[in-house]
Amino acid sequence: MKTRLARWIKKCIGTSMVLAGALCIGFCLSGQTAYAATAYKDVEPNNSHEEAQLIGRNAQTPAQYVSNQTSVYRYVTGTLSNDDEDWYMVGLYTSNPVYLDLNPGAGTIYVDVFDSSNLTVPLDTYEFRKYGDTNVYRVPISEDGTYYLRVYHTTTSISATYYFTIGNPQYTLGTYVHEFGRTSLPARDTWEDFVNLDQMPDVPKEARGYEITIGGCTTSVSSSRYFRNQHTGWVATKTTYSYKLAVTDESLLNQVWGARIVSTSTSNHTITPTMTIRYVASDIP
């Protein structure tokens, strides 16, 4: 949970926004940015579905997270005092998985999710504990439309703050290093090997690479290095022996990756080839 707690500390709270009735849920469904700011702060009264506050789904992609593009990153902050409850409405659609990620400032907070056809019985109820194991849930939706969130807690003696996103998941950055093992590289010869990262348990789910580096020897041994995966042929790295990857499904780590080192030396050397992939991963269980 350290990553989500760090985000809580780093994020500053945007100014409160009074939502005009003329704005419609269509902005959210179309994927357009409905507001200049991406931070929503709960505005009272929002204690029933009739008073539900309109918010936008988090639409940030892995590629935008890597490049620090935050214009479509949307989050909500609020405070539950005593027997308070906060209602929100948001446009969601089935073209992307929907994740609800909430961090409570204290105690346990619950979120009921309703579709607009039944505001009495929730589709499901999600529990978020201050020190709980799971603060991210996949929310199954059956069709595009307007959905309602009821945020509440059952401990009336405390005032609890919260921070949540709904829509695309949040992301974290990481680095994966694979060492191929010590080997001999004859003069003017070529070494290459492959590894199936889909079989590595420490590779995060749905991690996508954004930079790959082939290392393990000095420039005097090789100034010509390459990588490949199941979607590319051999690709030459730059003079830094690193290559910027497009953050797409083609750069998913859970596939077969290859590394190649071509000796540019006139003598034999012993090397320990490495492949380092910097990646972005969805912050989901």
Side-chain angles (χ1 to χ4, degrees):
M1 303 304 299
K2 295 173 89 173
T3 300
R4 284 191 287 274
L5 290 174
R7 284 201 299 265
W8 174 275
I9 295 170
K10 292 179 181 178
K11 301 273 184 200
C12 61
I13 307 305
T15 56
S16 300
M17 301 183 67
V18 179
L19 303 178
L23 291 173
C24 69
I25 204 72
F27 280 105
C28 303
L29 292 175
S30 66
Q32 299 179 45
T33 302
Y35 308 105
T38 58
Y40 304 94
K41 186 174 181 179
D42 79 289
V43 178
E44 297 291 345
N46 59 349
N47 302 313
S48 65
H49 66 83
E50 293 91 351
E51 300 170 330
Q53 186 175 340
L54 177 63
I55 62 174
R57 62 180 291 273
N58 177 33
Q60 190 179 45
T61 66
Q64 290 169 332
Y65 183 81
V66 170
S67 60
N68 199 31
Q69 297 179 44
T70 60
S71 61
V72 291
Y73 178 78
R74 298 167 182 141
Y75 62 97
V76 181
T77 61
T79 302
L80 294 171
S81 57
N82 297 325
D83 58 351
D84 182 30
E85 61 183 50
D86 295 334
W87 282 76
Y88 301 94
M89 63 178 177
V90 59
L92 301 174
Y93 44 91
T94 57
S95 57
N96 291 305
V98 175
Y99 293 94
L100 176 61
D101 185 332
L102 186 145
N103 287 292
T108 301
I109 289 179
Y110 300 89
V111 180
D112 292 342
V113 178
F114 303 83
D115 66 28
S116 55
S117 65
N118 188 342
L119 293 170
T120 303
V121 180
L123 298 173
D124 211 336
T125 299
Y126 302 94
E127 178 185 89
F128 302 90
R129 290 177 288 149
K130 172 67 174 176
Y131 300 106
D133 295 329
T134 301
N135 273 358
V136 183
Y137 294 94
R138 173 79 178 269
V139 179
I141 62 171
S142 58
E143 59 183 3
D144 299 353
T146 303
Y147 290 80
Y148 289 79
L149 282 66
R150 175 188 175 228
V151 183
Y152 61 99
H153 64 166
T154 57
T155 308
T156 58
S157 60
I158 66 172
S159 178
T161 58
Y162 59 84
Y163 168 105
F164 77 84
T165 60
I166 186 166
N168 286 359
Q170 301 194 60
Y171 305 101
T172 56
L173 300 181
T175 301
Y176 185 86
V177 180
H178 180 78
E179 187 174 294
F180 288 95
R182 196 171 177 84
T183 187
S184 177
L185 180 61
R188 307 294 186 183
D189 203 352
T190 297
W191 166 91
E192 66 180 48
D193 202 354
F194 298 85
V195 59
N196 187 356
L197 295 188
D198 190 38
Q199 300 175 353
M200 301 299 178
D202 51 344
V203 173
K205 184 187 302 183
E206 297 184 6
R208 291 169 172 80
Y210 64 91
E211 184 178 62
I212 185 169
T213 302
I214 306 301
C217 64
T218 64
T219 57
S220 62
V221 174
S222 172
S223 59
S224 182
R225 306 176 198 180
Y226 303 80
F227 77 91
R228 71 168 302 166
N229 61 31
Q230 295 169 230
H231 300 280
T232 70
W234 287 106
V235 179
T237 60
K238 300 183 182 297
T239 55
T240 58
Y241 310 116
S242 296
Y243 188 90
K244 296 291 185 182
L245 298 166
V247 185
T248 66
D249 285 350
E250 292 188 358
S251 66
L252 283 166
L253 264 65
N254 59 343
Q255 61 176 309
V256 175
W257 292 81
R260 174 186 286 176
I261 296 177
V262 179
S263 171
T264 51
S265 173
T266 57
S267 57
N268 299 343
H269 292 274
T270 298
I271 63 173
T272 306
T274 60
M275 180 177 65
T276 301
I277 304 178
R278 300 177 69 187
Y279 64 80
V280 56
S282 303
D283 191 10
I284 56 178

